[in-house]
Amino acid sequence: MYDVKSAKAEEFICHEEVLSSLAYAEANKQNLELIDQILAKARLGKGLTHREAAVLLDCEIEEKNQEIYALAEQLKKDIYGNRIVMFAPLYLSNYCINGCVYCPYHSKNKNIVRKKLSQEEIRREVIALQDMGHKRLALEAGEHPILNSIDYILESIKTIYGIKHKNGAIRRVNVNIAATTVEEYRQLKEAGIGTYILFQETYHKASYEALHPYGPKSDYAYHTEAMDRAMQGGIDDVGLGVLFGLERYRYEFSALLMHGEHLEAAFGVGPHTISVPRIKPADNVNLDDFDCIDDDIFAKIVACIRIAVPYTGMIISTRESQQCRERVLHLGVSQISGASRTTVGGYAEGETEHTEQFDLSDTRTLDEIVLWLMQMGYIPSFCTACYLAGRTGDRFMALSKAGQIQNCCHPNALMTLKEYLMDYASPPTKALGEEMIRNEINNVPNEKIRDIAMRNLAAIEAGKRHFRF
Ligand code: SAM
C-alpha cells in the first residue's frame, strides 16, 4: 500500500487496477445477481466504487439498463431538484507551447490567428457577457509561461471581479489553465477563484504521451498530480474531466472515478465537478484519427457517473447539440454553458478572426437556452451564493449530503432567475419565468425560508438586487 497523501500518479491511477476492473466488468456484464446488488447499493445514494460503476457501464441486460437510467434520473432529482446552473467560458489567450494533437492551439498550427486579450479587451468581453445575463465564468487559456503567465491570469481575474456594469457582476470565476505549482495554485485561491478545472484528457499513460508529444503538458505525472497540488495550495473545489474520444471510454470512465476516489481519500473531499467533453472537429485536427463515442454510450456514461458520485456536479458544454444536451440533462448533468464562444475576443467582437478552439453544436443565445430549460421544467440558476458564503469543498459536501443545500439552492435559484428576467429576458422568457417562479416558490420546504424568499422576490421586483441564502 502507498501513502495516499503523497501518492504518485501511477499509484492512484494504477494501470493494472484499471485493467483488472475492466476485466471484472466484462466478466459480469450479464451477472444479474451482482448487478442487482450494485443497484441496491446505488439506491442508497451514497455512491459506488469505480469497479461497481464499471459493471453498470458494461451491463448488457436491457431491463437493468432501464433501471440504471431511471435511478440516475431519480438521484438527479433528489439531490439537484430541477435547478441547472449556467455559465460561460471566457477565452483569454490561444498562445500555447504544447503539442496536443487533438487541439488546434498546438504550437505548430500556423492556420489559426494567435491572440491574447488586453485588460481593456477583457473588460469588453465581460461586459458583453454581463449584458447577456451571465454571472459565472470559466477562464480558458493555452499554456504559455511568458504570454499567459500566472501574473497575467491573476490580473485578469482582478479585472473581471472589479467590473460593475448596470445590475451585472461576475460573481464566480472558475479557472481552466494548465497544470501548475502549489505556489501558483495558492495565488489563484487568494485571487478568489471558484473551481480549478483541469481535464486529464486521457488517463491512459501511453496514449497520453503519444497525444502530448512535447511541451510541459507532455509530463503525464505532473498533469495527473495537478489536483493534489491544487488542494495542497488551498483550492478545495476542483473539476475533473476527460476528453472522450481520445482513448477507450471504459478505461477513461474507471480511471476518472479512481481519480475521484484518490482525492476523497487524500483530502477528505472528492471532485466538485466532472466535465464530460467529447472531441469535436477543429482546425488541423482530423476526427478520423480518433475513436469518437456515440450518443447512446455518452448517455450511459453520464448516467453511470451520476450514480457513482451523486454529489459531484456534472458539466456539459456547447460542444454538444441541443438534442444531446436535452437527453443528458435528465440523466445527471447539473451545469451547462450557454451562448459560448471559443474564440479569443468572440463575445464583444463576434467571430472576426480565425482563433476558435473547436466547433460548437449548440449556438443558441442565452435567452433561448433559458427559455428552453424552463419549457422542460428546469430552473436556470445564476446563483453563486455557496461560493460567496464559503460553502466550498468539504463544507459544501457535508451540507449537500445532509440535504441542506435544497433549502438554500432552490430559493436562491428562483431569486437569481427573477433578477435575470428583470434585467435581461425577452418577453416570452419573462412571461414563462414569472409563472415558473410563482409555482416553484411553494416548493421551498422550510416555511421561514419560503417567507423570506417571497419578500426578497418582491424587493427584486421593486428594483433591489443580490438577495441570497
Ligand atoms: N490550457 C489548458 C490545458 O492545457 O489543460 C486547458 C484549456 S483548453 C482551452 C480546455 C479543454 O478543451 C482542453 O482541456 C481539452 O480537453 C479541450 N479540447 C481541446 N481540443 C478539443 C477539441 N478538438 N474538441 C473538443 N475539446 C477540445
Side-chain angles (χ1 to χ4, degrees):
M1 238 345 240
Y2 56 86
D3 175 8
V4 280
K5 291 250 180 227
S6 58
K8 300 282 167 251
E10 285 176 65
E11 291 171 319
F12 63 82
I13 308 294
C14 170
H15 179 62
E16 285 69 33
E17 192 180 336
V18 180
L19 293 184
S20 132
S21 295
L22 297 190
Y24 179 78
E26 167 74 22
N28 287 293
K29 62 188 181 192
Q30 306 260 14
N31 183 340
L32 183 61
E33 196 183 336
L34 178 69
I35 291 166
D36 271 337
Q37 273 170 22
I38 296 173
L39 279 169
K41 179 178 173 190
R43 278 194 194 91
L44 302 175
K46 297 195 176 0
L48 295 175
T49 65
H50 73 271
R51 188 168 281 215
E52 291 162 338
V55 174
L56 296 189
L57 185 68
D58 267 14
C59 169
E60 281 187 348
I61 306 170
E62 187 42 37
E63 191 194 326
K64 294 294 142 188
N65 280 335
Q66 292 316 315
E67 279 183 41
I68 290 170
Y69 289 122
L71 178 59
E73 212 167 326
Q74 192 56 49
L75 288 171
K76 161 88 198 297
K77 277 194 198 126
D78 291 348
I79 296 168
Y80 302 86
N82 55 351
R83 301 176 303 278
I84 300 291
V85 171
M86 309 300 302
F87 78 99
L90 172 56
Y91 281 74
L92 296 180
S93 165
N94 61 4
Y95 283 96
C96 195
I97 56 168
N98 286 315
C100 318
V101 302
Y102 50 86
C103 178
Y105 288 1
H106 68 78
S107 66
K108 291 185 181 151
N109 185 4
K110 303 289 175 227
N111 298 339
I112 61 166
V113 176
R114 300 287 169 168
K115 191 167 173 182
K116 169 188 167 180
L117 298 181
S118 67
Q119 298 305 309
E120 191 41 45
E121 286 169 323
I122 292 173
R123 275 184 63 80
R124 286 205 286 274
E125 286 290 276
V126 171
I127 286 173
L129 283 155
Q130 288 182 3
D131 280 339
M132 289 183 222
H134 277 297
K135 309 283 185 221
R136 183 188 283 250
L137 300 183
L139 291 194
E140 310 279 342
E143 179 162 12
H144 197 295
I146 298 165
L147 289 170
N148 308 340
S149 68
I150 192 70
D151 289 339
Y152 169 68
I153 303 291
L154 295 170
E155 191 187 359
S156 305
I157 294 168
K158 200 168 169 202
T159 298
I160 295 168
Y161 279 136
I163 300 166
K164 301 284 173 280
H165 166 67
K166 299 185 185 160
N167 284 328
I170 298 299
R171 304 202 197 104
R172 180 171 175 131
V173 177
N174 297 333
V175 173
N176 181 359
I177 59 164
T180 186
T181 59
V182 174
E183 181 44 37
E184 293 195 354
Y185 285 125
R186 193 164 286 128
Q187 290 176 280
L188 286 171
K189 174 72 184 174
E190 280 161 14
I193 68 159
T195 312
Y196 173 65
I197 300 164
L198 182 70
F199 299 159
Q200 177 62 31
E201 320 301 6
T202 174
Y203 283 96
H204 189 284
K205 185 167 185 272
S207 300
Y208 185 96
E209 286 169 353
L211 290 160
H212 304 93
Y214 60 86
K217 196 169 168 180
S218 62
D219 185 338
Y220 175 82
Y222 190 72
H223 191 80
T224 312
E225 291 158 14
M227 294 313 192
D228 295 67
R229 292 193 301 280
M231 287 195 158
Q232 284 154 14
I235 296 176
D236 48 9
D237 281 351
V238 298
L240 304 182
V242 289
L243 186 55
F244 284 103
L246 299 183
E247 241 299 332
R248 287 155 299 169
Y249 71 88
R250 291 184 172 90
Y251 191 99
E252 305 293 26
F253 175 85
S254 280
L256 175 69
L257 293 178
M258 280 169 83
H259 196 177
E261 286 166 2
H262 161 67
L263 295 175
E264 178 103 42
F267 300 97
V269 56
H272 186 65
T273 56
I274 288 182
S275 299
V276 286
R278 281 195 287 187
I279 191 156
K280 296 285 299 176
D283 189 288
N284 230 257
V285 176
N286 186 356
L287 276 202
D288 295 340
D289 298 340
F290 299 98
D291 201 5
C292 301
I293 54 170
D294 67 30
D295 287 357
D296 289 339
I297 290 171
F298 189 60
K300 186 129 190 233
I301 289 172
V302 170
C304 291
I305 293 177
R306 176 45 57 244
I307 292 173
V309 283
Y311 292 94
T312 298
M314 220 188 304
I315 303 180
I316 195 160
S317 74
T318 53
R319 287 177 184 86
E320 301 300 337
S321 66
Q322 172 178 342
Q323 192 190 23
C324 171
R325 301 217 293 172
E326 211 158 303
R327 186 166 175 197
V328 293
L329 274 171
H330 299 302
L331 296 174
V333 166
S334 54
Q335 268 192 48
I336 66 168
S337 48
S340 306
R341 292 279 163 86
T342 65
T343 43
V344 182
Y347 294 108
E349 294 167 12
E351 318 263 315
T352 51
E353 286 167 319
H354 179 36
T355 63
E356 75 265 23
Q357 195 185 22
F358 45 77
D359 292 353
L360 300 178
S361 295
D362 188 341
T363 54
R364 291 171 295 166
T365 64
L366 185 60
D367 190 73
E368 286 167 334
I369 290 180
V370 166
L371 181 61
W372 160 75
L373 285 172
M374 294 190 304
Q375 283 165 341
M376 292 187 291
Y378 291 111
I379 308 171
S381 174
F382 294 90
C383 186
T384 54
C386 279
Y387 157 71
L388 295 175
R391 292 191 293 260
T392 60
D394 52 357
R395 289 170 303 285
F396 170 82
M397 284 297 173
L399 282 166
S400 175
K401 287 177 184 171
Q404 277 309 311
I405 291 291
Q406 203 79 345
N407 264 322
C408 304
C409 297
H410 189 69
N412 282 348
L414 294 177
M415 289 187 282
T416 56
L417 174 61
K418 177 81 180 176
E419 290 176 351
Y420 173 84
L421 299 177
M422 300 278 301
D423 294 339
Y424 309 105
S426 66
T429 304
K430 192 165 190 306
L432 184 59
E434 295 291 357
E435 187 189 325
M436 182 165 215
I437 291 170
R438 276 195 300 278
N439 296 333
E440 286 283 339
I441 194 70
N442 297 317
N443 296 337
V444 176
N446 182 306
E447 201 179 322
K448 216 159 137 195
I449 291 181
R450 190 166 62 238
D451 287 347
I452 299 170
M454 279 173 165
R455 281 203 297 280
N456 290 350
L457 286 168
I460 294 168
E461 180 93 45
K464 301 203 176 110
R465 293 289 181 273
H466 309 316
F467 297 100
R468 306 286 181 270
F469 291 102

